[in-house]
Amino acid sequence: MSDNIAFWLSYLTNGKHLTWYASFQFTIFAAVFGGTLAVVFGLIGATFKNSRFLPLRVIGSIYSSIVRGVPDVLFFLFFPLAFEQGVEWLVASQVCSPEMLAAQSAAWPPCKEANWLLGTPEYLVLASVSLGLVYGAFATNVIHGALRSVPKGQLEAARAYGMSASQVLWRVHIRQMWVYALPGLSNVWMLIIKATSLLSLLQIADIVLWADRLGAPNFLPAVGLVHDDWRWRYYLVLFVFYILVTWLSEKGFDAIMKRAGRGILSEAR
Amino acid sequence: MDRFLTELGLFAPAVVFNLYFAIASIPLGFILAVCLALGKASDNVLINRLSRGYIYAFRGSPLFIQFFMIYSLALSFNVGVWKPMGISWWVLHPLFIGPLVLTLNTGAYTAEIFYGALRAVPRGEIEAARAYGMSRSQQFRQVIWPNLIRLAWPAYTNEVVFLFHATAIVYFALPVIGQQKDLMITAKELFERDYNAFLHFSVAALYFLAVSLVVFFLFGLVYRRLMRHMPAGPRMRYAPSWWR
């Protein structure tokens, strides 16, 4: 019995498993950084959409409708690849000489010197930015709606106190907007959490990739424990992990909503 | 321009797979969702708990993980169950597993929508139906269901579009067999050939946008038909809200 427990403990704490546990940091980083960026992009997009200057309004509307009109995976893959190519193209226009261009046989990059090799940290940041861009479009819609549900009287009162337009915006409008935006933003946050499972598509060794490696059948005693296909057990762990994170976020958002709703008579709950 | 047209042609066989996944899982998901929504509203403690738990689990976890989990579960039964029965070529085929997982997933999301609509059915109408002496099944068929589907239809439209978007990750989790490639795999393979991200991904995005618009149009027609008794029915919202 105790032998058994000791065996499983040592199995679950071997090097590969520890790497798996460590890879949770990528998921958490992407969720937190991507979520922050989504709120930032959402605020920018909503300001654009609310703008009185027509081109800005059009940009805001196009951003929020086009990005939501295509699957998140597509944009999630497209943005890092396109960004990498854009940088390489810029570098190539500076460093490549005609001889280098002639020497290059592959389709991309234009010359070997302009190649930008991305590692895990770079991909992680790019993935977070693209998560932020995709879900920023959702947040744009939420915040746009929330800005419009702030009672007009509040803004008029602020204006009557002699506040300037930017003071009204930052001290009254956006402050009061959060109560109306929080239910929607909590939904966007859940979407972001679920989208973090896609990190392995950008060659990041995240929890999904490690679950796949650890669960893959092993027949060589030299490599480790001999077992058949255990992948479903590892995926079951991830399944439960994501449900727990969702549950925790729900509790967290409930608490935040309660706090943000202090002193406001009828909020959107 | 010529290049763009050939590109459109290259993607045409691929969109069939996305459409297949969506069309195969929508009716089944619809039926599952109705059962789950009724289960969540049921007074039977066991049924209630089970439906609640199912809906929570499948809404709270990523579809990507669900794909991996169910596919690897099916794989682990292969030697013991599917092989002896001689159906392993069929059970493990992406064209079967894909719609299966999508059905389980969309069933949970749609059930939540239907449950919300079920709770929004006007109380007075149900009481009136009971006062008329209608049986429970009559109440459901003639009062609750017509109300429910009208209340839920706009949100259900969004869910169907999201389901179509979700078909994009099917082949990232399941093996690609031969030439059976969907839009995303086609875009990725073409990208790996000539590194033209802007062309290939934009064309794939165009296909997704086009199908989404068609879905909005068709479901809008159904909604108009559902609301034909109303003088000027509330306009259908085309902008998806933050469902999912």
Side-chain angles (χ1 to χ4, degrees):
Chain A
M1 183 61 195
S2 66
D3 273 4
N4 247 334
I5 293 176
F7 169 75
W8 286 113
L9 268 181
S10 73
Y11 174 68
L12 287 177
T13 51
N14 67 15
K16 276 186 179 176
H17 276 84
L18 289 180
T19 323
W20 183 37
Y21 306 144
S23 67
F24 277 81
Q25 60 180 312
F26 301 137
T27 306
I28 294 166
F29 175 85
V32 172
F33 189 42
T36 316
L37 283 178
V39 173
V40 172
F41 287 133
L43 276 172
I44 296 173
T47 328
F48 274 26
K49 227 175 152 178
N50 254 352
S51 160
R52 261 178 290 176
F53 184 51
L54 183 73
L56 284 186
R57 207 160 61 218
V58 170
I59 291 174
S61 311
I62 287 181
Y63 166 58
S64 79
S65 50
I66 293 286
V67 174
R68 286 180 319 152
V70 300
D72 50 355
V73 204
L74 197 153
F75 206 81
F76 184 77
L77 279 183
F78 168 75
F79 174 75
L81 295 176
F83 186 80
E84 185 190 350
Q85 286 201 335
V87 170
E88 281 173 343
W89 180 79
L90 265 182
V91 173
S93 65
Q94 298 302 317
V95 299
C96 287
S97 62
E99 300 86 62
M100 290 175 182
L101 288 177
Q104 174 68 318
S105 52
W108 192 267
C111 68
K112 287 201 179 67
E113 284 69 18
N115 193 18
W116 182 29
L117 211 65
L118 285 94
T120 299
E122 288 91 350
Y123 267 125
L124 194 59
V125 169
L126 283 180
S128 310
V129 173
S130 66
L131 277 183
L133 276 174
V134 173
Y135 293 105
F138 289 76
T140 294
N141 236 33
V142 170
I143 293 176
H144 180 70
L147 281 176
R148 300 217 310 196
S149 16
V150 173
K152 288 278 166 294
Q154 297 280 345
L155 307 181
E156 280 163 17
R159 245 173 261 136
Y161 268 112
M163 286 189 180
S164 69
S166 69
Q167 276 177 328
V168 173
L169 180 70
W170 286 105
R171 295 195 186 172
V172 180
H173 207 163
I174 289 183
R175 288 279 169 86
Q176 297 201 8
M177 171 272 288
W178 292 112
V179 180
Y180 305 97
L182 272 172
L185 287 181
S186 109
N187 275 298
V188 174
W189 170 246
M190 306 288 180
L191 292 178
I192 292 175
I193 291 173
K194 285 180 237 164
T196 55
S197 65
L198 300 173
L199 288 180
S200 60
L201 296 182
L202 287 175
Q203 290 136 44
I204 298 168
D206 75 330
I207 51 178
V208 183
L209 204 78
W210 273 107
D212 195 71
R213 284 184 195 164
L214 287 165
N218 175 29
F219 305 111
L220 295 172
V223 180
L225 183 66
V226 174
H227 61 75
D228 46 341
D229 197 348
W230 278 2
R231 267 176 293 187
W232 66 271
R233 304 183 191 203
Y234 286 91
Y235 284 125
L236 191 66
V237 171
L238 291 188
F239 187 68
V240 174
F241 165 73
Y242 273 106
I243 294 171
L244 277 179
V245 172
T246 305
W247 182 76
L248 274 179
S249 323
E250 250 176 26
K251 291 274 167 269
F253 265 98
D254 276 353
I256 297 175
M257 270 183 237
K258 212 172 244 168
R259 196 172 156 73
R262 280 170 317 157
I264 292 182
L265 261 181
S266 60
E267 63 268 38
R269 251 187 300 157
Chain B
M1 192 62 211
D2 216 29
R3 183 129 185 246
F4 182 72
L5 285 179
T6 36
E7 187 81 9
L8 279 183
L10 278 176
F11 277 84
V15 75
V16 175
F17 285 92
N18 288 77
L19 284 175
Y20 163 75
F21 286 127
I23 291 170
S25 44
I26 287 168
L28 293 173
F30 188 88
I31 296 167
L32 177 67
V34 175
C35 298
L36 282 171
L38 290 178
K40 193 171 173 179
S42 152
D43 291 330
N44 185 321
V45 179
L46 184 70
I47 295 177
N48 188 306
R49 286 272 168 79
L50 280 178
S51 334
R52 255 171 217 279
Y54 177 89
I55 294 173
Y56 197 87
F58 275 80
R59 273 166 51 92
S61 62
L63 177 62
F64 203 48
I65 303 282
Q66 291 163 19
F67 263 116
F68 279 127
M69 195 178 69
I70 290 171
Y71 182 59
S72 55
L73 204 60
L75 272 181
S76 73
F77 282 125
N78 189 23
V79 178
V81 186
W82 316 130
K83 268 257 174 70
M85 288 168 77
I87 51 169
S88 84
W89 64 274
W90 175 70
V91 173
L92 295 178
H93 202 286
L95 292 182
F96 173 77
I97 296 268
L100 174 76
V101 180
L102 285 172
T103 301
L104 295 177
N105 182 271
T106 192
Y109 281 97
T110 312
E112 190 63 24
I113 295 171
F114 285 174
Y115 176 71
L118 188 65
R119 299 222 313 180
V121 172
R123 233 22 274 121
E125 294 201 15
I126 300 172
E127 279 162 17
R130 210 178 299 146
Y132 268 113
M134 285 188 180
S135 69
R136 297 233 2 185
S137 71
Q138 265 181 323
Q139 278 174 40
F140 181 75
R141 269 183 295 128
Q142 305 199 342
V143 180
I144 299 177
W145 176 251
N147 266 309
L148 188 158
I149 197 69
R150 283 180 186 122
L151 286 168
W153 198 257
Y156 181 62
T157 309
N158 282 332
E159 169 53 29
V160 168
V161 170
F162 271 115
L163 173 71
F164 183 67
H165 287 179
T167 61
I169 67 168
V170 173
Y171 277 121
F172 285 125
L174 303 179
V176 178
I177 297 179
Q179 285 305 303
Q180 301 175 4
K181 296 168 194 156
D182 74 333
L183 287 172
M184 284 309 292
I185 297 294
T186 311
K188 220 177 132 215
E189 286 194 346
L190 288 174
F191 168 76
E192 277 157 8
R193 204 174 297 161
D194 63 0
Y195 297 100
N196 192 341
F198 288 91
L199 177 66
H200 304 314
F201 282 98
S202 316
V203 172
L206 264 183
Y207 267 105
F208 277 109
L209 270 177
V211 177
S212 308
L213 287 179
V214 171
V215 171
F216 277 129
F217 176 72
L218 290 179
F219 276 64
L221 284 185
V222 175
Y223 191 60
R224 278 244 301 277
R225 167 129 187 105
L226 283 174
M227 296 307 246
R228 66 191 180 282
H229 61 291
M230 301 291 276
R235 284 295 296 161
M236 171 114 176
R237 271 190 340 181
Y238 283 90
S241 55
W242 24 259
W243 286 101
R244 266 207 200 180

